[in-house]
Amino acid sequence: MVDYNPDRYGVVIAGLIGNKTMRDLGPARPDLAIREKLAQFSAESLFAGRGIVDLEMAECCLAALWMYHDFLDESHRLSQQVYTHTGSYWHGIMHRREPDYPNAKYWFQRVGQHPIYPELKEAVEQLHVAWDEVPPFLLREVWDPAGFIDLCEQSRGKNDSMEKFCQTVQQIEWQILFDYSFRKAIGWVETE
C-alpha cells in the first residue's frame, strides 16, 4: 500500500495534515478552525527551512492543503494558476469534488499520462484484494481518470460500499500526488 507519512514533510505541513482524512467526494463544510492558519502561508513560507527548486510545485502543495480542508475556492485559485500537468491534476480533482464533472474531465485531459498514474493504479489493485466490487475498468493497464470521475459521480451521496471505495481511492490519490508535488518542489530524490 502507499507509504504515506505526513512527518516526512516537516512539522509545518504535518501539523496542517494531522490525522484528518479527506473523505467527501463532493464539497464539504470547510474546516474553519484551520482557515486562519492556512491563510498565513505562501508557497515559500510553507516550505520554511527547505529550499524550493520548483515554485509551481510548491504552489500545488498549498492548493492541495486548502483542498484537504475543504476550501475548494482557495484551492481553485491556486491550482488554476499553475500551468503544468500537476497543476492541471490538482485543478481536475477540485472540479471533481465541486462537483463539475465535465470540467474535471477537461482538466484531466490536460494532465495526459501523469507520472503518478502507475503508482495510483498499483494502489487500486492492492485495494482490489479487500474490495470485491472494484470496477474492472480501474484494473486495466493504465489509470483511467475519466472513468474514475464517472464512478465518483455515480457513487456520490449513496453512502454505500462503492462510495467508500471511491473515497479511499481519492484519499490515496491525494497522498500520492501530494508526495509527488512535495518532492518536486524541493528537488527531493531518494536513492534506491
Side-chain angles (χ1 to χ4, degrees):
M1 193 50 77
V2 177
D3 177 26
Y4 178 71
N5 179 359
D7 292 335
R8 78 168 48 143
Y9 310 120
V11 72
V12 172
I13 293 174
L16 292 169
I17 298 171
N19 294 323
K20 178 187 183 307
T21 56
M22 182 186 67
R23 299 296 293 200
D24 292 303
L25 293 179
R29 177 168 288 149
D31 184 353
L32 298 177
I34 201 158
R35 180 186 193 79
E36 192 173 313
K37 191 172 190 178
L38 281 170
Q40 296 175 36
F41 291 105
S42 64
E44 294 87 352
S45 64
L46 185 65
F47 285 82
R50 295 181 188 255
I52 296 175
V53 299
D54 189 332
L55 185 58
E56 289 181 318
M57 286 295 191
E59 292 285 347
C60 285
C61 289
L62 190 55
L65 291 169
W66 280 106
M67 180 190 303
Y68 196 80
H69 294 284
D70 299 306
F71 292 99
L72 299 184
D73 289 340
E74 290 82 350
S75 176
H76 185 244
R77 271 195 293 282
L78 290 163
S79 66
Q80 74 180 351
Q81 295 178 26
V82 180
Y83 305 105
T84 66
H85 297 291
T86 302
S88 293
Y89 200 137
W90 287 114
H91 198 160
I93 293 173
M94 190 288 308
H95 282 299
R96 189 179 68 209
R97 289 194 61 211
E98 192 173 25
D100 181 348
Y101 302 113
N103 206 356
K105 286 181 180 180
Y106 167 81
W107 286 100
F108 274 99
Q109 284 178 336
R110 293 185 60 133
V111 170
Q113 288 300 311
H114 198 277
I116 74 154
Y117 284 170
E119 185 178 355
L120 179 56
K121 184 187 163 310
E122 182 181 327
V124 171
E125 287 173 350
Q126 291 177 13
L127 282 178
H128 178 55
V129 174
W131 247 283
D132 294 332
E133 53 185 289
V134 174
F137 78 87
L138 288 179
L139 301 174
R140 291 185 190 142
E141 191 172 324
V142 295
W143 178 249
D144 181 0
F148 184 60
I149 290 167
D150 290 339
L151 186 61
C152 290
E153 181 178 13
Q154 295 162 9
S155 303
R156 187 174 155 256
K158 292 192 174 175
N159 201 26
D160 61 7
S161 63
M162 189 53 65
E163 182 177 30
K164 288 177 181 39
F165 171 78
C166 289
Q167 290 169 333
T168 301
V169 171
Q170 176 180 257
Q171 182 69 28
I172 291 169
E173 175 187 46
W174 188 96
Q175 292 169 348
I176 293 170
L177 187 58
F178 185 83
D179 189 70
Y180 176 84
S181 301
F182 179 87
R183 289 172 187 272
K184 290 289 190 178
I186 63 170
W188 184 12
V189 180
E190 292 181 355
T191 58
E192 296 184 26

